[in-house]
Amino acid sequence: VGNIVEVWCPTPGQEAARDLARARADARVDLMRARHLLSKMLLRKGLVYPGRSAWTKAHREWLRSVELPEPAERLVMSEYLQQVVACEQRRDRLDAAIAELAATDGWRPVVSRLSAVRGVSTVTAFSVAAEIGDFSRFPSAPSFMSYLGLVPSEDSS
């Protein structure tokens, strides 16, 4: 008794939503990496943005004004910058797809409740909802916390 653990199998629609949320997370990682590659390439050349915040309109204008002496350097910088733009466009397309799906009847109730929490965007709320699936499968808050791995435990010798 009690040895069998119930499992939850997502529907094809829920699995597709999980894929969409994961693709958005991958796009975010790829964008961060592309930005990092460009920043580090410029840093190796001794070029540091003099402003406060990177990846703003002013930062992009500064990037366009950077002139590198070697043709190979100019090509590399151009490629890195194109990669940043491509990653941003990919992220934006996925954000739009998430916003569209989150507004449908199947997702709107849970996404709107989760996004009511301060600091939780539609993308974050949708990602949580897609990964968790049906919240009603957890009989209590402690069982949900256990599912997430947020249970206190002692780790001592």
Side-chain angles (χ1 to χ4, degrees):
V1 176
N3 290 336
I4 299 176
V5 178
E6 185 178 329
V7 296
W8 171 74
C9 295
T11 66
Q14 290 167 329
E15 192 60 40
R18 292 169 79 179
D19 287 338
L20 180 58
R22 291 170 184 173
R24 197 319 182 149
D26 292 340
R28 181 182 164 277
V29 169
D30 292 344
L31 174 58
M32 288 175 53
R33 184 175 191 287
R35 286 176 171 177
H36 201 174
L37 289 171
L38 176 57
S39 296
K40 297 311 166 197
M41 181 259 190
L42 292 173
L43 190 59
R44 286 191 306 272
K45 307 295 175 202
L47 299 169
V48 179
Y49 177 58
R52 288 185 169 195
S53 298
W55 307 109
T56 60
K57 185 177 180 182
H59 181 252
R60 288 179 187 274
E61 289 174 11
W62 176 80
L63 285 171
R64 284 190 281 276
S65 72
V66 170
E67 293 186 22
L68 298 170
E70 296 294 323
E73 292 174 328
R74 291 192 296 271
L75 175 63
V76 170
M77 182 170 169
S78 173
E79 289 294 324
Y80 280 150
L81 198 50
Q82 287 177 25
Q83 184 65 29
V84 168
V85 171
C87 287
E88 288 171 340
Q89 291 171 344
R90 177 177 158 218
R91 179 205 55 200
D92 293 346
R93 285 191 307 271
L94 292 167
D95 282 352
I98 286 173
E100 185 179 327
L101 189 55
T104 62
D105 290 340
W107 293 100
R108 187 180 323 109
V110 69
V111 170
S112 64
R113 286 185 189 111
L114 289 170
S115 60
V117 176
R118 185 177 180 192
V120 177
S121 69
T122 300
V123 169
T124 302
F126 179 82
S127 297
V128 169
E131 290 296 336
I132 299 301
D134 184 13
F135 283 87
S136 67
R137 66 191 172 112
F138 302 101
S140 64
S143 66
F144 179 60
M145 300 283 282
S146 177
Y147 172 79
L148 295 175
L150 298 174
V151 291
S153 62
E154 184 177 353
D155 186 20
S156 62
S157 56

